């Protein structure tokens, strides 16, 4: 008698769990947004000088970038965008954009013009960094990694989600030619798509 009751309970319980996880999966499949796409469309580098006697990097980098929301049903609020400048994993700049926050509708692309990353920063370059820097100075093209740190919210109809922060920082690996003035060789820059965009999916989950 009690054994039968136990089995019934077990089956009801089991089916409930199954229903819940199935609907959860279907819900996730329909509503899990696609990641936004980030592209650095153009970059102008008018100054990138490392002075080894006082270990200071003077830099002036101007970026244009686009952010695309590829989703049909999900809007995105951009609450904060920070732009980080790295040279060989050594951070030399962090800029918080002041154009924010803004809302981006379905299938929309937002252009951010003239993001200025400019300043003078003490950096600790080791031998390898200095030798790469010297090589790149000779070639006139610097490999600069721009990272983006964002805080966003997703909007489904009238429902707005919690804050999302990416699992990792978004990486934009740029090769930027140095232009001594604005009319010179800045056109040598190729638009670069940024990698490691993981707001809604966890890259380490599989
Ligand atoms: C960014 O775009 C604006 C407007 O399209 C343009 O005037 C400017 O030269 C661009 N800046 C860079 C760094 O390419
Ligand atoms: C490097 O910095 C030192 C100390 O501030 C300065 O005397 C020197 O002129 C600088 N060198 C260059 C190439 O700017
Ligand atoms: C180091 O030298 C550069 C010039 O090369 C100058 O712009 C910068 O302000 C100096 N930094 C310090 C901390 O003296
Ligand atoms: C930085 O470069 C831009 C051109 O991209 C120029 O307009 C601006 O005056 C420069 N700023 C400094 C402080 O050199
Ligand atoms: C994209 O967003 C901008 C600003 O909110 C708006 O003016 C524009 O009409 C939108 N474009 C599309 C295709 O929805
Ligand atoms: C800028 O570069 C162009 C082409 O290299 C050159 O003709 C021009 O004189 C330069 N202007 C300045 C202010 O250095
Ligand atoms: C980048 O900007 C420079 C200066 O504004 C312009 O001459 C060049 O054509 C632009 N390159 C691209 C790929 O848009």
């Amino acid at each position: 008698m009690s054994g039968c009751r136990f089995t019934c309970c077990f089956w009801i319980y089991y089916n409930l769990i199954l229903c819940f996880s199935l609907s959860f999966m279907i819900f996730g499949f329909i509503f899990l947004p696609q990641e936004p796409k980030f592209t650095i469309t153009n970059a102008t580098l008018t100054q990138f000088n490392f002075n080894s006697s006082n270990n200071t990097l003077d830099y002036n980098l101007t970026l244009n970038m686009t952010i695309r929301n590829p989703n049909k049903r999900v809007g995105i609020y951009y609450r904060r965008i920070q732009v980080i400048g790295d040279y060989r994993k050594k951070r030399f700049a962090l800029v918080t954009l002041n154009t924010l926050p803004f809302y981006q509708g379905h299938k929309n692309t937002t252009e951010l013009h003239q993001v200025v990353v400019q300043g003078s920063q003490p950096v600790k370059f080791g031998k390898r960094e200095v030798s790469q820097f010297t090589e790149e100075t000779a070639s006139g093209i610097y490999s600069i990694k721009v990272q983006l740190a964002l805080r966003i919210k997703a909007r489904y109809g009238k429902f707005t989600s919690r804050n999302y922060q990416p699992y990792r920082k978004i990486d934009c690996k740029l090769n930027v030619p140095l232009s001594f003035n604005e009319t010179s060789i800045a056109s040598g820059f190729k638009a670069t798509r940024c990698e490691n965009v993981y707001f809604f999916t966890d890259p380490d989950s599989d």
Side-chain angles (χ1 to χ4, degrees), residues 32-38 67-71 76 78 104 152 164-167 170 193 196-203:
L32 191 70
Q34 284 178 280
E35 306 288 358
K37 296 185 170 74
F38 296 83
I67 308 176
R68 173 155 180 80
N69 173 9
N71 293 288
I76 299 176
Y78 294 87
Q104 186 178 49
I152 67 171
Y164 283 101
Q165 273 173 290
Y167 287 87
I170 296 166
R193 175 88 174 268
N196 272 341
V197 186
Y198 296 109
F199 289 100
F200 308 118
T201 49
D202 182 350

Side-chain angles (χ1 to χ4, degrees), residues 69-86:
N69 173 9
N71 293 288
K72 263 190 214 151
R73 292 184 198 84
V74 184
I76 299 176
Y77 287 104
Y78 294 87
R79 316 246 304 147
R80 192 175 73 172
I81 301 182
Q82 288 181 319
V83 178
I84 294 161
D86 268 16

